[in-house]
Amino acid sequence: MSQTYPKQVQALLALTGQRLPIIQAPIGSAASVALASAVARAGGLGGLALSSAEPARIGELVTATLLASGGAPFLVNFVLHFPVEGLDQALSAGAKVVTFSWGINASLIAQAQRGGARVGIQVGSAGAARQALDAGADFLIAQGVEAGGHVQSTTPLARLLPSVLAVAGDVPVVAAGGIASGQDIAAVIAAGAAGAMMGTRFIATFEAAAHDDTKVALVAASADDTVFTNCFEIGWPHAMHRVLRNTTFTAWEAAGCPQPPHRPGEGDVIFRQNGTDFPRYSESQPGAGAIGDLWAACNYAGTSVGGIDRIEPAGELVARLGAELSAALSADTVERVPA
Ligand SMILES: Cc1cc2nc3c(=O)[nH]c(=O)nc-3n(C[C@H](O)[C@H](O)[C@H](O)COP(=O)(O)O)c2cc1C
């Protein structure tokens, strides 16, 4: 049975070509081709994170995702805190949706649009939303402070979303941060969002290129196990992030949150991956092949972690979220925006 969505949802689906108002966030190195394409095939919008990809490989990654998704839509993301390399390669390979976060750049937006893509900008405040609209964004993503990974906002989603909607007019606004279930998605849609972007929830899938221990830790954790901090700053200083509280964080906090180079265990190598050593306080999250003290490393998680009860194939997850969403919308049981 096909679902009739509110008009702001229909506007997003028409813009991006996705079938369901479910977006897999570009979750750094965990956002594999297999994950993005499985989400796309299931009707969501898959996501590739291209900021740290070798520019020479970007065309291949986009082509591989197009092939594996059978042409179903997915986004490619660049974090503007870092130099953008490879946008042209992504566009030439056929990327049709581009998202930027951690910055607003009108000429990059125009470049992506000239290349045939729709552009979404992730923002953390109404002021940034206004700037993104002035710069030509096709849609916005409102990222609440509940989000996992690096977080641009200090405002809970329940307060941020209405403030972004108030400036967005007819431009679709996707909600992000703390969303884990179809009921959560229904709640943000009832509050005016055009859809939901979820990061942490998609790490706990077979296809995510995260370490198995990370996936298991996400199933076990609750929202109270996350912390919003600047503890893991090597590689990306001065950017707040939400992670699982772990041994590195608790020792640092107990020492009074000292700044580098005065932190406990400064310089320790915590894990090794692909021949590279990663130090304590690195912002890099261990991937599938990492070895070492993984529980001392940075493990990104939003408050949405409390809603994760299994590791499952990404396509099944999208189908389940879609069914929960339909049931919630038709039963009109939508009660709250997740806080
Ligand atoms: C492991 C991880 C990596 C992330 N990497 C990126 C990234 O590369 N680019 C980006 O725009 N957002 C990134 N994010 C943030 C997401 O875009 C999104 O705001 C967040 O996942 C939403 O909150 P949730 O994790 O509670 O669903 C990342 C999030 C996580 C959990």
Side-chain angles (χ1 to χ4, degrees):
M1 192 182 66
S2 76
Q3 175 77 46
T4 306
Y5 292 115
K7 76 174 187 332
Q8 77 275 12
V9 176
Q10 294 181 30
L12 176 75
L13 305 187
L15 203 59
T16 60
Q18 64 197 93
R19 208 162 32 76
L20 299 168
I22 297 169
I23 300 181
Q24 172 240 313
I27 40 176
S29 55
S32 61
V33 167
L35 176 59
S37 55
V39 171
R41 279 197 311 273
L45 188 71
L48 293 179
L50 297 181
S51 288
S52 358
E54 289 283 320
R57 280 211 64 220
I58 282 181
E60 273 172 40
L61 288 170
V62 171
T63 303
T65 310
L66 273 171
L67 289 172
S69 65
F74 60 92
L75 66 84
V76 301
N77 166 259
F78 294 90
V79 175
L80 298 188
H81 187 95
F82 302 99
V84 171
E85 298 177 79
L87 176 58
D88 273 333
Q89 287 92 320
L91 294 166
S92 322
K96 291 284 176 249
V97 183
V98 174
T99 67
F100 297 118
S101 51
W102 287 86
I104 295 161
N105 181 319
S107 69
L108 288 173
I109 294 173
Q111 184 184 342
Q113 288 168 336
R114 274 195 311 276
R118 301 296 194 169
V119 180
I121 307 290
Q122 183 156 237
V123 297
S125 67
R130 215 170 278 120
Q131 286 175 33
L133 294 168
D134 289 346
D138 294 304
F139 68 100
L140 301 174
I141 302 152
Q143 185 197 42
V145 72
E146 300 89 342
H150 288 88
V151 185
Q152 298 173 81
S153 188
T154 51
T155 309
L157 184 60
R159 268 199 286 128
L160 177 67
L161 181 60
S163 72
V164 171
L165 286 167
V167 298
D170 289 338
V171 172
V173 179
V174 172
I179 298 168
S181 68
Q183 288 82 359
D184 292 343
I185 302 170
V188 294
I189 288 176
M197 186 165 90
M198 309 160 76
T200 306
R201 185 61 196 84
F202 279 100
I203 301 175
T205 58
F206 292 2
E207 294 87 347
H211 198 283
D212 284 347
D213 290 3
T214 303
K215 298 179 187 183
V216 170
L218 293 181
V219 174
S222 68
D224 290 345
D225 296 320
T226 73
V227 59
F228 181 57
T229 180
N230 63 353
C231 178
F232 296 93
E233 56 77 57
I234 295 177
W236 189 350
H238 315 302
M240 296 297 288
H241 40 269
R242 187 176 292 280
V243 290
L244 292 180
R245 187 182 274 110
N246 67 358
T247 50
T248 295
F249 176 82
T250 50
W252 176 70
E253 189 180 44
C257 306
Q259 292 306 296
H262 305 294
R263 301 171 293 191
E266 190 88 57
D268 294 350
V269 169
I270 294 298
F271 72 94
R272 166 172 277 238
Q273 186 166 0
N274 298 331
T276 301
D277 287 338
F278 290 86
R280 194 184 294 280
Y281 305 109
S282 169
E283 63 99 26
S284 294
Q285 172 150 3
I291 47 169
D293 183 2
L294 304 184
W295 189 237
C298 168
N299 282 302
Y300 296 112
T303 59
S304 47
V305 74
I308 300 177
D309 62 359
R310 68 194 94 163
I311 303 163
E312 62 196 312
E316 284 180 22
L317 170 60
V318 172
R320 189 164 61 75
L321 291 171
E324 288 172 6
L325 171 61
S326 286
L329 290 176
S330 34
D332 202 18
T333 54
V334 178
E335 279 166 14
R336 62 181 181 96
V337 175

